[in-house]
């Protein structure tokens, strides 16, 4: 074998292309502000549709500065699994079903079963 060693490089770790002549897409910086005065700056593409609200890193809702106020929609509130369950059963029925299932589980484990109501 030759005196020279072959050198390789990590696949996918480095690009062989240079950034010469590459133009980034036009962007715009948009400012949002929370009720407590916290400022949030977000970069969007120049042709992107700007949302009226943005959630900050702290989890607060920020409103677009110099933009239209978001319109409160009259949509129905989201129904959770608990809401749908309460439409079919009362709390007393659910407690009784839970007690029955716990007793059945305890019986299968060989534990003492509590008295029924």
């Amino acid at each position: 074998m030759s005196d020279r060693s072959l050198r390789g490089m990590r696949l996918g770790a480095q690009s062989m292309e240079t950034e010469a002549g590459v133009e980034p897409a036009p962007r715009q910086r948009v400012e949002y502000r929370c009720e407590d005065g916290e400022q949030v700056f977000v970069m969007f593409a120049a042709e992107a549709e700007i949302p009226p609200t943005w959630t900050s890193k702290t989890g607060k809702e920020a409103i677009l500065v110099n933009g239209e106020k978001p319109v409160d929609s009259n949509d129905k509130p989201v129904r959770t699994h608990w809401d749908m369950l309460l439409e079919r059963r009362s709390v007393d029925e659910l407690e009784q079903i839970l007690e029955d299932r716990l007793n059945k589980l305890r019986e299968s484990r060989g534990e003492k079963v509590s008295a029924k109501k």
Side-chain angles (χ1 to χ4, degrees), residues 35-54:
E35 288 181 6
D36 63 357
E38 178 185 355
Q39 292 178 324
V40 180
F41 295 98
V42 184
M43 296 297 287
F44 287 101
E47 65 273 358
E49 184 177 325
I50 308 300
T53 61
W54 192 263

Side-chain angles (χ1 to χ4, degrees), residues 2-115:
S2 169
D3 295 345
R4 298 177 299 177
S5 63
L6 295 174
R7 294 187 179 219
M9 62 183 293
R10 297 169 292 210
L11 290 175
Q14 297 171 333
S15 174
M16 300 299 287
E17 294 183 23
T18 64
E19 293 186 16
V22 175
E23 289 277 331
R27 296 178 284 179
Q28 59 181 325
R29 184 177 176 186
V30 179
E31 180 183 358
Y32 291 89
R33 194 165 291 144
C34 297
E35 288 181 6
D36 63 357
E38 178 185 355
Q39 292 178 324
V40 180
F41 295 98
V42 184
M43 296 297 287
F44 287 101
E47 65 273 358
E49 184 177 325
I50 308 300
T53 61
W54 192 263
T55 304
S56 70
K57 290 181 181 179
T58 58
K60 298 179 231 168
E61 186 171 296
I63 299 174
L64 181 64
V65 173
N66 299 329
E68 295 179 12
K69 299 283 184 191
V71 179
D72 292 334
S73 63
N74 292 333
D75 294 340
K76 294 191 301 185
V78 178
R79 287 175 40 201
T80 64
H81 293 291
W82 179 249
D83 294 333
M84 290 184 264
L85 184 62
L86 288 178
E87 289 175 4
R88 297 189 309 268
R89 307 244 191 229
S90 70
V91 176
D92 292 334
E93 287 177 309
L94 292 172
E95 288 176 353
Q96 183 60 44
I97 292 171
L98 175 64
E99 187 64 33
D100 293 344
R101 296 304 296 174
L102 287 173
N103 286 338
K104 187 172 185 177
L105 179 65
R106 288 179 184 124
E107 285 176 2
S108 68
R109 291 182 177 175
E111 296 175 11
K112 184 179 177 184
V113 178
S114 64

